[in-house]
């Protein structure tokens, strides 16, 4: 059962924010869904958007500028939170670990393992809710994300072959095995054995045989995380070696913010719509 927190009319559709009690995280979880107007009984293809560090569902919902394009293209847009939250949920003082930084993993280390099950929440629990409660065509799904959420979108698509007809990312963390954010998060959530990390690293998954039809990535050239954390050249190398078509566009002058994301959001949605035959 889900609770409706708000609904607003916008661009020929309805933007809703919802909450439910998650069995996976053991906490309330909030998510947003934009549903374009559609014929009675019709179902719509679904695009998932996974947010980055420090974000909730609200960042893209309020600043992503996706609704006009989704309405024009007939796409549902689903934006989950980035982690479990609550006074009883473990946290960390740093922005890049704990609440707001779930990294889309199922944690195995104490004290995180009890609640930090974002992989199962995004891959299993929330899709079942979307399928049951909204006019979603679950045979036509795409997934996209930003930064940590780009990492989530890439790895979830690679681990679930055939589920997503389209995958794209804005400034994704392409290889947590090779960046400080990933080293901190995966050590804390998964443990020191780096072989267990490979399920959460897009480049490692590709090297280990995972495949998607193609990938779209936009990266800001003025992104201050580009060199140390994001390293898109590693994804280029992995896709080249595997024969996965990758469209990577460097957007000079653009940073890591929603000014960047919102500028190129429509292009990503049109790219998804083509693959979802929307």
């Amino acid at each position: 059962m889900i609770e409706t927190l708000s609904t607003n009319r916008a661009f020929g559709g309805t933007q809703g924010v919802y909450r439910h009690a998650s069995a996976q995280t053991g906490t309330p979880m909030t998510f947003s869904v934009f549903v374009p107007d559609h014929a009675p009984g019709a179902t719509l293809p679904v695009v998932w958007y996974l947010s980055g560090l420090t974000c909730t569902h609200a960042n893209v919902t309020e600043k992503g500028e996706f609704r006009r394009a989704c309405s024009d293209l007939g796409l549902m847009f689903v934006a989950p939170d980035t982690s479990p939250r609550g006074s009883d949920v473990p946290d960390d003082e740093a922005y890049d670990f704990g609440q707001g930084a779930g990294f889309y993993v199922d944690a195995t280390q104490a004290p995180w393992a009890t609640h930090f099950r974002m992989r199962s929440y995004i891959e299993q629990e929330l899709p079942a809710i979307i399928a049951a409660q909204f006019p979603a065509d679950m045979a036509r799904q795409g997934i996209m994300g930003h930064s940590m959420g780009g990492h989530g979108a890439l790895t979830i698509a690679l681990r679930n072959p055939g589920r997503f007809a389209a995958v794209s990312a804005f400034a994704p963390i392409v290889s947590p095995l090779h960046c400080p954010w990933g080293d901190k998060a995966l050590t804390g959530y998964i443990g020191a054995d780096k072989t267990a990390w490979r399920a959460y690293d897009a480049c490692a998954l590709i090297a280990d045989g995972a495949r998607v039809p193609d990938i779209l990535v936009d990266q800001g050239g003025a992104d201050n995380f580009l060199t140390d954390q994001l390293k898109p050249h590693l994804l280029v190398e992995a896709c080249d070696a595997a024969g996965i078509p990758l469209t990577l566009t460097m957007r000079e002058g653009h940073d890591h913010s929603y000014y960047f994301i919102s500028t190129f959001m429509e292009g990503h949605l049109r790219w998804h719509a083509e693959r979802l035959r929307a």
Side-chain angles (χ1 to χ4, degrees), residues 219-223 250-257 259-260 264:
Q219 171 64 59
D223 190 324
M250 296 297 297
R251 303 294 188 177
E252 294 309 319
H254 284 274
D255 58 17
H256 200 68
S257 73
Y259 293 106
F260 158 63
F264 301 105

Side-chain angles (χ1 to χ4, degrees), residues 51 77 82 115 121 129 138 144 158 183 212 214 237 248 262:
S51 293
F77 191 94
T82 56
H115 297 293
Y121 178 71
I129 291 171
M138 302 303 281
M144 62 195 301
L158 287 161
D183 186 72
V212 292
D214 53 7
E237 294 167 3
L248 169 63
S262 62

Side-chain angles (χ1 to χ4, degrees), residues 4-22:
T4 300
L5 300 182
S6 65
T7 57
N8 296 92
R9 290 289 297 166
F11 294 103
T14 301
Q15 177 66 65
V17 178
Y18 308 91
R19 181 168 56 206
H20 72 110
S22 168

Side-chain angles (χ1 to χ4, degrees), residues 57-179:
H57 71 283
N59 296 74
V60 69
T61 304
E62 296 170 4
K63 298 185 289 187
E65 300 187 24
F66 57 86
R67 279 173 283 269
R68 185 188 298 275
C70 282
S71 187
D72 289 346
L73 298 166
L75 299 172
M76 277 183 54
F77 191 94
V78 180
D81 201 348
T82 56
S83 80
R85 300 178 190 271
S87 59
D88 295 333
V89 176
D91 200 5
D92 189 88
E93 292 182 355
Y95 76 95
D96 55 357
F97 194 67
Q99 294 187 39
F103 239 79
Y104 303 101
V105 306
D106 279 354
T108 58
Q109 303 298 300
W112 313 100
T114 299
H115 297 293
F116 280 72
R117 296 186 52 79
M118 290 303 294
R119 172 181 177 174
S120 292
Y121 178 71
I122 299 296
E123 290 186 354
Q124 301 172 26
E125 185 174 14
L126 190 54
I129 291 171
I130 297 300
Q133 300 288 336
F134 296 90
D137 182 350
M138 302 303 281
R140 293 189 292 165
Q141 296 186 74
I143 191 167
M144 62 195 301
H146 168 233
S147 194
M148 178 187 73
H151 140 77
L154 292 171
T155 55
I156 289 169
L158 287 161
R159 286 196 305 264
N160 293 274
R163 180 183 297 188
F164 301 98
V167 57
S168 71
F170 299 100
I173 303 169
V174 305
S175 184
L177 278 159
H178 296 97
C179 75

